[in-house]
Every structure is written in structure tokens, then in C-alpha cells.
Amino acid sequence: MSATVLVVDDDPVYLEVAKERLERAGFVVETRDQAIGTSEWIVEHEPDAVLLDQMMPALNGSALAQILVKRGVRTAVILHSSKSAVELAELVRTTGAVGAIPKSLDESLFLREFERLVGRSTRLRS
């Protein structure tokens, strides 16, 4: 059975790029173009992983990641951003996300890093 990934990004181009990359790698992919209401969606649908854009209006990815961790959601949370590696590392440290992936990575590096991060998730290993 393929792992299910939710991609959340307010930029339709990045949303489609991430969706296509993950589907080509064999993941089942759902998408949302806003963070508001996403924690409820995740609780209801229980995807294996969520790839969250950091910079979204109303509720940014790190705030949503913190909400998910506080709610005890077992979904692997990965931040996705054009921020610097240092900024991303700090966001991961403060949010409880399993990691972050820069938007600038080419497809093979993106997939390698995504698979490495979801491999850390106890949910995907069990």
C-alpha cells in the first residue's frame, strides 16, 4: 500500500510541482491550497505525511505544524520553503516537524530528502 501525502501550499505552481513529483515516486497525494481547516482534515483523513509550505497567509506552516504536534497527530510533518537552510533548521527545532525541504531542490534531491524524512516517522515504519 502506498503512503498518502497531503501537500499544503497557497502557490498553485509549487502545489502542482510537489504533487507531480510525489506521485511519480509512488505516493498517493492529496492537496490543499490553504492552511485554515487543514488540521481538521488531517485528523479526519490521517495521511502518512504532510508537506507544508512555510509562508502561507492567515496561518503559516510552522504554526500549523505546532498545532498538529500539540494535537498528538501521528502524521509526519515536513516544512517546505524557500527560506535559508539555517532558518529552516530553526523552524524544525521549534515546531516539532520531522524536517524541512528547500523549494529550490531539483526533483531527485527533493525526493531523496522527502523519503529520508518520512522514513524517520514511526508511522511510516510501522
Side-chain angles (χ1 to χ4, degrees):
M1 183 171 124
S2 296
T4 301
V5 179
L6 173 64
V7 179
V8 184
D9 200 314
D10 63 315
D11 182 318
V13 173
Y14 279 118
L15 190 67
E16 190 60 27
V17 167
K19 180 180 190 287
E20 288 177 6
R21 287 177 169 183
L22 292 166
E23 285 179 338
R24 277 195 294 270
F27 293 97
V28 174
V29 181
E30 299 289 337
T31 62
R32 290 183 57 87
D33 63 2
Q34 63 179 339
I36 301 296
T38 297
S39 67
E40 288 78 17
W41 190 98
I42 291 169
V43 167
E44 182 179 335
H45 294 92
E46 298 181 335
D48 298 296
V50 59
L51 183 66
L52 289 176
D53 178 26
Q54 169 53 29
M55 299 174 64
M56 290 185 286
L59 182 66
N60 66 36
S62 58
L64 179 54
Q66 289 174 321
I67 290 168
L68 294 170
V69 169
K70 285 180 182 169
R71 288 186 79 172
V73 171
R74 293 181 49 206
T75 297
V77 177
I78 301 167
L79 298 174
H80 195 221
S81 178
S82 54
K83 289 185 173 289
S84 73
V86 171
E87 290 173 294
L88 287 174
E90 179 63 15
L91 288 171
V92 168
R93 188 186 70 72
T94 60
T95 62
V98 296
I101 300 175
K103 286 187 174 181
S104 60
L105 292 183
D106 69 24
E107 184 169 353
S108 64
L109 290 174
F110 167 86
L111 290 172
R112 190 174 325 143
E113 185 63 7
F114 184 84
E115 289 173 351
R116 183 185 73 79
L117 291 170
V118 296
R120 291 171 148 180
S121 168
T122 56
R123 179 175 176 139
L124 289 180
R125 282 185 281 155
S126 58

